[in-house]
């Protein structure tokens, strides 16, 4: 099937054209980062307004870059949730309007489902596998039995991993979103310079906690006589990143041992982090795991990632009704398509 896919759950307006859930013909992402940067985080009302401004332009561009028109499209997949409800509604309304006007089948896809299946677009990965979803809003470990069959194994009890990167970046005076700034500085710093805590590391469960690491960085910053700059700043970034990555890696290893799963997919914006990629690859080599990271364009929010599930559901005959609503909160183990 040739699908048009639309994503607008947070601060990226994205549309893509994908064939058979795998072949990406276009994947346009319009980021609103500049709009939200001055507030140090996403402002929901501004996000909705910017989505409205961008949505038709982004869809037109996705069709044009793919070299197709709406006449060629055979189905529409859209992020239904979770996310900012006002933002989700913009993409969902556009998707429903196109589906109605063109009499096309429609499906609503779970945002995290998109993230954890994105790696399948770049190579075959056999089910079942373990998925570590790490983004600005999520830090979850899932047992992925197949498309539409997900079991939550663990989750963060407080901040999401990306949220922790963003908050630490903010208190270090870096830009928003902070993950990429921390990553860049950490590459030049010493990850062992400062010993930040590894919360829940030795607890016999698969949950995470990141607010303690963030508070430890805040206390460290406050304890310093002057501003943290230069090599010192690089060391703080590297030490924080090492602590966060170690917790993510060790909990993933524990999950692999407990479930017997050998294949691991790391997904979401934080999967771009070079320290996490390096630590996870080393661990995989040592422990005999097979680890997959989508390429950076498929890690962050993008519409193409919705096509794997979207194509599967539509090809199996599923059709969403045109009164489909957005859902701000939607547990992945209850996708129910
Ligand atoms: O998946 P995503 O694009 O949006 C959500 O669904 O939240 O993830 C965004 C998050 C942000 O918190 C951002 O700081 C983080 O991913 N991120 C990174 C890196 N690139 C993006 N975190 C650490 N290192 C990076 N290189
Ligand atoms: Zn996301």
């Amino acid at each position: 099937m040739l699908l048009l896919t639309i994503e607008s759950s947070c601060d990226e307006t994205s549309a893509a054209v994908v064939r058979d859930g795998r072949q990406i013909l276009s994947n346009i992402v319009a980021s609103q980062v500049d709009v939200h940067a001055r507030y140090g985080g996403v402002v929901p009302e501004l996000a909705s307004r910017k989505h409205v401004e961008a949505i038709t332009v982004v869809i037109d561009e996705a069709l044009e870059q793919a070299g197709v028109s709406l006449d060629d499209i055979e189905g529409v997949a859209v992020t239904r949730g979770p996310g900012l409800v006002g933002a989700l509604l913009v993409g969902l309304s556009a998707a429903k309007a196109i589906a109605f006007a063109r009499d096309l089948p429609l499906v609503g896809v779970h945002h995290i489902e998109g993230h954890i299946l994105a790696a399948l677009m770049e190579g075959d990965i056999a089910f079942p596998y373990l998925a570590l979803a790490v983004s600005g809003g999520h830090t979850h470990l899932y047992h992925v039995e197949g498309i539409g069959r997900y079991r939550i194994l663990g989750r963060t009890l407080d901040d999401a991993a990306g949220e922790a990167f963003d908050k630490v970046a903010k208190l270090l005076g870096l830009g928003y979103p902070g993950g990429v700034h921390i990553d860049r500085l950490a590459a030049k710093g010493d990850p062992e310079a400062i010993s930040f805590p590894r919360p829940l590391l030795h607890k016999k469960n698969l949950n995470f906690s990141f607010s303690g690491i963030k508070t430890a960085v805040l206390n460290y910053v406050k304890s310093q006589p002057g501003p943290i700059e230069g090599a010192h700043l690089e060391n703080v970034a590297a030490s924080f990143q090492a602590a966060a990555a170690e917790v993510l890696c060790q909990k993933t290893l524990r999950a692999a041992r407990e479930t017997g799963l050998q294949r691991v997919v790391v997904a979401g914006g934080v999967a771009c982090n070079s320290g996490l990629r390096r630590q996870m690859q080393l661990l995989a080599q040592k422990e005999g795991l097979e680890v997959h990271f989508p390429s950076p364009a498929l890690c962050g929010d993008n519409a193409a990632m919705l096509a794997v599930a979207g194509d599967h559901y539509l090809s199996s005959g599923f059709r969403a009704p045109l009164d489909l609503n957005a859902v701000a909160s939607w547990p992945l183990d209850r996708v129910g398509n």
Side-chain angles (χ1 to χ4, degrees), residues 111 115 135-137 162 165-166 177-180 183 268-270 272-273 299-301:
H111 180 77
H115 275 306
S135 71
F165 271 91
D166 294 342
V180 70
D183 198 351
V270 182
C272 290
N273 186 264
C299 283
D301 286 350

Side-chain angles (χ1 to χ4, degrees), residues 111-129:
H111 180 77
I112 297 301
E113 183 174 27
H115 275 306
I116 65 177
L117 298 175
L120 296 173
M121 305 182 97
E122 298 183 312
D124 287 335
I125 303 168
F127 296 112
Y129 60 76

Side-chain angles (χ1 to χ4, degrees), residues 7 9-12 82 111-112 115 134-138 160-166 176-184 241 267-276 299-302 305:
E7 150 69 37
S9 64
C10 190
D11 58 348
E12 260 102 24
H111 180 77
I112 297 301
H115 275 306
V134 271
S135 71
H138 290 80
E163 195 181 348
F165 271 91
D166 294 342
Y176 171 84
V180 70
H181 296 284
I182 300 256
D183 198 351
R184 205 174 302 133
Q241 182 171 287
V270 182
C272 290
N273 186 264
S274 42
L276 175 63
C299 283
D301 286 350
N302 70 94
M305 69 183 188

Side-chain angles (χ1 to χ4, degrees), residues 77-80 92 106-110 113 313 318 320 324 330 337:
V78 60
T79 304
R80 188 187 165 205
L92 190 65
L106 173 76
V107 61
V109 176
H110 191 292
E113 183 174 27
Y313 295 131
F318 177 83
L324 186 72
W330 185 12
N337 275 328

Side-chain angles (χ1 to χ4, degrees), residues 20-300:
D20 300 331
R22 298 291 188 277
Q23 192 194 350
I24 302 172
L25 305 188
S26 64
N27 191 16
I28 307 297
V29 181
S31 174
Q32 308 175 356
V33 157
D34 296 347
V35 178
H36 303 289
R38 76 169 87 161
Y39 304 102
V42 178
V43 183
E45 288 80 1
L46 288 181
S48 310
R49 199 178 309 158
K50 288 287 152 189
H51 283 308
V52 171
E53 285 170 18
I55 192 80
T56 47
V57 182
V58 166
I59 292 171
D60 284 348
E61 211 173 314
L63 293 167
E64 193 185 319
Q65 207 180 88
V68 302
S69 76
L70 279 180
D71 293 340
D72 304 305
I73 297 296
E74 296 167 294
V76 184
V78 60
T79 304
R80 188 187 165 205
L84 303 169
V85 83
L88 287 163
L89 280 171
V90 178
L92 190 65
S93 304
K96 290 201 286 190
I98 292 170
F100 176 65
R102 295 281 167 159
D103 197 21
L104 292 171
L106 173 76
V107 61
V109 176
H110 191 292
H111 180 77
I112 297 301
E113 183 174 27
H115 275 306
I116 65 177
L117 298 175
L120 296 173
M121 305 182 97
E122 298 183 312
D124 287 335
I125 303 168
F127 296 112
Y129 60 76
L130 191 63
L132 173 68
V134 271
S135 71
H138 290 80
T139 303
H140 282 81
L141 272 165
Y142 294 104
H143 183 147
V144 181
E145 291 161 10
I147 300 179
R149 289 185 290 133
Y150 317 105
R151 226 158 22 86
I152 295 183
L153 302 171
R155 59 174 352 130
T156 181
L157 302 178
D158 41 58
D159 292 350
E163 195 181 348
F165 271 91
D166 294 342
K167 286 178 175 171
V168 165
K170 193 170 178 179
L171 67 91
L172 292 175
L174 308 172
Y176 171 84
V180 70
H181 296 284
I182 300 256
D183 198 351
R184 205 174 302 133
L185 285 169
K188 293 181 263 169
D190 173 6
E192 289 172 16
I194 305 143
S195 172
F196 291 127
R198 271 76 168 150
L200 305 187
L201 188 65
H202 300 295
K203 284 269 181 305
K204 286 193 174 52
N205 62 44
L206 299 173
N207 292 328
F208 303 91
S209 167
F210 290 100
S211 75
I213 315 184
K214 176 197 66 193
T215 307
V217 178
L218 177 65
N219 291 339
Y220 179 82
V221 170
K222 282 185 179 162
S223 74
Q224 299 305 298
I228 298 178
E229 293 164 337
H232 189 184
L233 184 61
E234 289 161 7
N235 286 345
V236 175
S239 301
F240 161 73
Q241 182 171 287
E246 186 178 347
V247 177
L248 291 169
C249 288
Q250 290 302 325
K251 289 284 175 170
T252 304
L253 176 62
R254 179 181 285 275
R257 285 184 177 152
E258 283 184 13
T259 57
L261 296 173
Q262 296 289 304
R263 285 176 293 279
V264 179
V265 166
V266 187
V270 182
C272 290
N273 186 264
S274 42
L276 175 63
R277 285 182 178 238
R278 204 168 35 247
Q279 273 201 42
M280 197 68 93
Q281 301 287 10
L282 286 173
L283 189 74
Q285 272 168 20
K286 196 163 144 245
E287 302 290 333
L289 301 175
E290 182 188 313
V291 178
H292 300 268
F293 284 89
S295 54
L298 286 179
C299 283

